[in-house]
Amino acid sequence: MLSMIAWAQVGSGYLPEMSRGDIFLKEEGGNVARKRRRLIRMSTTSIPTGMELLRNAGLNKGTAFTEEERELLGLRGLLPPHVHMMKEQVDRVVENYRRKDTDLGRYIHVLSLQDRNETLFYRVILENLEELMPIIYTPTVGEACQKYGHIFRRTRGCFIAEKHRGRMVDVLRNWPLVDVRVIVVTDGERILGLGDLGANGMGIPVGKLSLYTACAGIHPADCLPVVLDVGTNNEELLNDPLYIGTKNRRLRGDEYYEFVDEFITAATSVFPHALIQFEDFANPTAFPLIKKYEDKICTFNDDIQGTGSVVLSGLLGALRITGGKLTEQKLLFLGAGEAGMGCGKQIVAAMVSEGLSEKEAQERFWFFDVDGLIVKGRDNLSDVHQAFAHDHEHMTDFLEVVKTVKPTAIIGASAQASTFTKEVLETMAEMNERPIIFALSNPTHKAECTPTEAYTYTNGRAIYASGSPFKPVEFNGETFVPGQGNNAYIFPGVGLGIVACESSRVTGEMFYAAAKTLAAEASEDDLKLGRVYPALSRIREVSAKIATAVAEIAYEQELAALPRPKDLHEHIKSLMYMPEYEDYV
Ligand code: NAD
């Protein structure tokens, strides 16, 4: 082992005495501060050499270690003799990755790289984001979660199980990195539109955090994926000998909430600066949990608030095409779960800020769920639903509802494929010059309609967005590029803004600011192609702008713990991690 002090003195000039408390206060000289922070985080007393260094994914450079580094760091003979540039390493990974026959094979290939060489992994992702996002996130991550126990190779993140009750602080302290800034946590009960996948849901926090790093430059060492393994009610998994989770049925009721509460208390005490993102909890627990914690800690639920923000942004983008006003829209949702109701809450807030009363705004929404139209007097409506229930007869045929309500937009968040039928789409086109059709359900095969169906049955007039990615569509000699209403446009930038100023809370105003910023980033060319979001290739630039808008709100709302830098946007950009190798010598 080479001591940290000795290593720091070997040419790199980093000061070994720098303390962790200094890390975020050292704003000047962005890059140097970031590098120092990384070094300190990687090891407080020593860094590994030899084989141990090659096995440390955060530090490993593989064949890119220089001759001098090989000499000094005990690597001589442990690597093939030729020193490669990172570009060549990227080419090699991409060549191998493209040779795989299946998306799951590609997922395994790139995730294995993450375990070996994190810097190279992020460089590959960044340079091939549009190609790899559907692999590391929806739709492929869904299949990966379904088969997690079968493709499992190397552990990543913290699994907190029932047997850890009473000692979650100790479990979290086992995580090797001490300064976690973003935790994504799931209990695996509603993974995408695929239902209860128990501890297999770990693929989701892992994937989301990769997007935090790729899309917004949150340092990988700042991120912690967590699964709360509270059991599963998925019979197939309970009977699968290779299932990775506890083979119990799900905890319910008080026991469940006590479990989550112990986790929240432990996480906020071990990682006091961390933003906690709830992800893919089922509807009946997601709402109470976010209600319980949103005013107490720095947290949000991406399925509710992130979705609300990205859909609001899509609508604002669509209105740039139609020239309509948000307050004049009539919105019909198929699905009134986390995504649907999250959109309701976020878009109501936006309509209110554009002049409507809350009640007037709520009246512009119609929700249709598994039991039909949400109307007053219907059984089993939660408070969230009650606010949107109309004084209207109960209807159970979606097409009839479309004809009756005459919406300007239909938004699918039901996880039910092909529910925006030919007739529904044709009816929307009869009633609207430019019908807005958002089919958000994931993964791809759950989409309420495909873009081809949307453009065909509206004669090319639909303004379409989906949750999972679809390829461009040729229709009547025109090319349409469907926008992907992917939360990845929102949550990484929001997270970066929160982390950059150490906001103590995440507020609705921040998600509204994020939505407006995103909508403004779709270019005229994007809109001409029918794409209501900016190209994914611009995501880092867009995330930095979203982060700035979010941090501005934190300063306005007096939630930020750090002093406001003179140039907030430049400061935020300077914090963003770039996957580049450090010079160790
Ligand atoms: P949820 O389980 O909370 O809600 C599902 C809703 O669909 C419920 O209201 C249910 O009653 C309704 N539903 C079920 N079957 C129906 C049917 N046949 N007809 C009408 N309604 C029906 O789930 P959720 O978190 O709201 O997610 C729903 C879908 O949206 C998932 O596929 C998820 O992946 C997707 N989603 C997409 C995005 C995005 O693209 N940005 C974000 C979040 C969620």
Side-chain angles (χ1 to χ4, degrees):
M1 293 283 238
L2 190 71
S3 85
M4 175 71 180
I5 293 173
W7 184 59
Q9 285 167 343
V10 183
S12 47
Y14 301 128
L15 299 177
E17 70 272 18
M18 184 161 168
S19 79
R20 283 166 211 213
D22 290 340
I23 291 169
F24 272 88
L25 298 175
K26 297 269 174 203
E27 282 159 20
E28 278 90 33
N31 259 332
V32 176
R34 265 203 329 274
K35 280 189 180 178
R36 282 174 171 180
R37 204 174 125 220
R38 180 166 183 213
L39 295 180
I40 289 161
R41 188 188 284 109
M42 289 303 172
S43 171
T44 49
T45 53
S46 60
I47 65 150
T49 55
M51 219 51 190
E52 215 180 312
L53 175 57
L54 297 180
R55 288 195 180 122
N56 183 320
L59 297 173
N60 186 19
K61 295 160 69 163
T63 55
F65 278 110
T66 63
E67 295 290 356
E68 288 145 295
E69 286 168 338
R70 291 172 188 217
E71 198 60 53
L72 189 80
L73 299 170
L75 299 173
R76 190 59 70 206
L78 299 183
L79 288 161
H82 189 86
V83 175
H84 280 103
M85 308 296 286
M86 194 188 233
K87 187 191 168 312
E88 293 156 340
Q89 292 182 306
V90 170
D91 290 346
R92 183 188 293 131
V93 173
V94 172
E95 186 182 309
N96 279 301
Y97 149 85
R98 290 195 180 139
R99 207 181 289 136
K100 301 282 166 202
D101 301 331
T102 62
D103 284 343
L104 191 61
R106 292 180 191 109
Y107 175 89
I108 293 168
H109 187 73
V110 288
L111 269 278
S112 299
L113 175 63
Q114 188 177 21
D115 291 337
R116 289 195 311 277
N117 181 337
E118 214 164 44
T119 318
L120 184 58
F121 167 79
Y122 282 110
R123 189 56 166 257
V124 170
I125 301 284
L126 216 59
E127 289 185 9
N128 302 276
L129 192 62
E130 291 192 43
E131 184 178 351
L132 281 170
M133 188 116 126
I135 302 296
I136 59 168
Y137 206 64
T138 181
T140 308
V141 74
E143 186 187 356
C145 287
Q146 286 173 314
K147 299 174 181 157
Y148 215 68
H150 292 255
I151 62 170
F152 185 80
R153 277 158 170 71
R154 190 166 175 176
T155 187
R156 181 167 282 276
C158 270
F159 291 85
I160 302 187
E162 259 194 272
K163 60 186 167 194
H164 302 131
R165 285 167 88 176
R167 47 198 182 102
M168 289 188 200
V169 165
D170 297 337
V171 172
L172 288 172
R173 284 205 180 120
N174 285 339
W175 184 247
L177 302 167
V178 292
D179 191 23
V180 168
R181 297 289 165 147
V182 185
I183 294 172
V184 176
V185 58
T186 187
D187 71 354
E189 191 169 4
R190 199 240 61 199
I191 295 300
L192 303 171
L194 302 170
D196 182 355
L197 298 183
N200 282 4
M202 181 53 108
I204 296 293
V206 167
K208 286 258 161 164
L209 286 163
S210 300
L211 297 183
Y212 266 109
T213 302
C215 301
I218 304 260
H219 197 289
D222 287 345
C223 300
L224 170 59
V226 174
V227 153
L228 301 181
D229 180 15
V230 289
T232 179
N233 292 346
N234 183 325
E235 292 300 330
E236 210 178 309
L237 294 180
L238 289 171
N239 292 318
D240 181 351
L242 294 185
Y243 176 55
I244 58 165
T246 313
K247 290 199 171 184
N248 289 341
R249 295 202 165 269
R250 282 190 171 271
L251 279 185
R252 292 289 187 210
D254 289 349
E255 271 197 308
Y256 171 85
Y257 287 105
E258 280 159 26
F259 184 98
V260 178
D261 206 50
E262 186 189 339
F263 164 70
I264 295 288
T265 308
T268 47
S269 95
V270 178
F271 306 116
H273 299 297
L275 158 69
I276 300 179
Q277 173 176 329
F278 285 99
E279 189 66 45
D280 285 4
F281 283 69
N283 194 326
T285 51
F287 285 104
L289 285 174
I290 197 63
K291 195 166 171 204
K292 180 169 177 185
Y293 294 111
E294 67 184 347
D295 294 331
K296 297 194 179 78
I297 61 166
C298 184
T299 189
F300 72 98
N301 178 307
D302 188 49
D303 306 297
I304 301 173
Q305 293 153 285
T307 307
S309 186
V310 80
V311 173
L312 169 60
S313 169
L315 270 182
L316 297 174
L319 296 178
R320 284 177 60 199
I321 299 175
T322 66
K325 285 174 70 178
L326 182 66
T327 48
E328 289 164 359
Q329 303 310 302
K330 203 186 269 188
L331 309 172
L332 171 59
F333 284 78
L334 184 81
E338 288 167 63
M341 302 323 289
C343 293
K345 195 172 170 204
Q346 194 68 59
I347 301 169
V348 164
M351 286 181 170
V352 168
S353 82
E354 293 191 12
L356 295 189
S357 70
E358 191 177 14
K359 189 160 182 305
E360 284 166 340
Q362 284 163 345
E363 282 169 359
R364 306 207 68 80
F365 288 76
W366 293 79
F367 284 95
F368 186 100
D369 71 2
V370 68
D371 297 319
L373 195 60
I374 293 194
V375 290
K376 284 201 167 65
R378 215 187 87 174
D379 289 347
N380 69 19
L381 291 186
S382 69
D383 290 349
V384 193
H385 292 122
Q386 291 289 1
F388 292 97
H390 285 262
D391 209 350
H392 194 278
E393 68 169 307
H394 183 229
M395 299 172 75
T396 52
D397 181 333
F398 187 65
L399 176 60
E400 287 309 311
V401 173
V402 173
K403 288 179 181 165
T404 309
V405 169
K406 299 188 177 35
T408 53
I410 50 173
I411 300 169
S414 61
Q416 302 300 314
S418 309
T419 34
F420 291 171
T421 58
K422 177 173 180 283
E423 292 74 24
V424 164
L425 294 166
E426 284 173 349
T427 308
M428 283 298 288
E430 276 164 28
M431 297 182 306
N432 297 284
E433 182 54 34
R434 301 298 308 268
I436 298 171
I437 314 286
F438 288 175
L440 299 178
S441 288
N442 297 319
T444 318
H445 68 273
K446 299 272 184 181
E448 285 77 7
C449 68
T450 65
T452 305
E453 288 162 345
Y455 297 127
T456 305
Y457 300 133
T458 63
N459 206 17
R461 287 189 280 118
I463 301 174
Y464 176 89
S466 56
S468 294
F470 280 97
K471 292 206 162 49
V473 173
E474 298 289 329
F475 179 77
N476 272 357
E478 259 190 276
T479 302
F480 295 91
V481 181
Q484 193 190 348
N486 190 320
N487 296 25
Y489 276 117
I490 294 287
F491 71 80
V494 170
L496 178 61
I498 297 287
V499 168
C501 67
E502 288 192 6
S503 179
S504 59
R505 299 286 181 275
V506 189
T507 63
E509 289 78 5
M510 292 175 183
F511 281 105
Y512 184 30
K516 283 194 290 189
T517 306
L518 178 61
E521 287 301 310
S523 67
E524 290 303 324
D525 286 344
D526 289 323
L527 298 177
K528 271 191 204 130
L529 291 167
R531 180 164 60 191
V532 292
Y533 298 101
L536 209 48
S537 52
R538 291 185 48 228
I539 188 77
R540 281 208 148 207
E541 182 196 335
V542 172
S543 292
K545 289 186 181 168
I546 290 176
T548 308
V550 166
E552 286 290 7
I553 303 279
Y555 285 109
E556 262 169 51
Q557 297 184 325
E558 299 184 357
L559 296 169
L562 295 182
R564 191 185 189 291
K566 266 189 239 99
D567 187 335
L568 184 58
H569 188 58
E570 280 308 311
H571 169 66
I572 283 177
K573 284 199 293 183
S574 83
L575 293 176
M576 290 170 77
Y577 160 81
M578 264 305 286
E580 283 159 359
Y581 290 136
E582 310 283 353
D583 291 333
Y584 293 159
V585 173

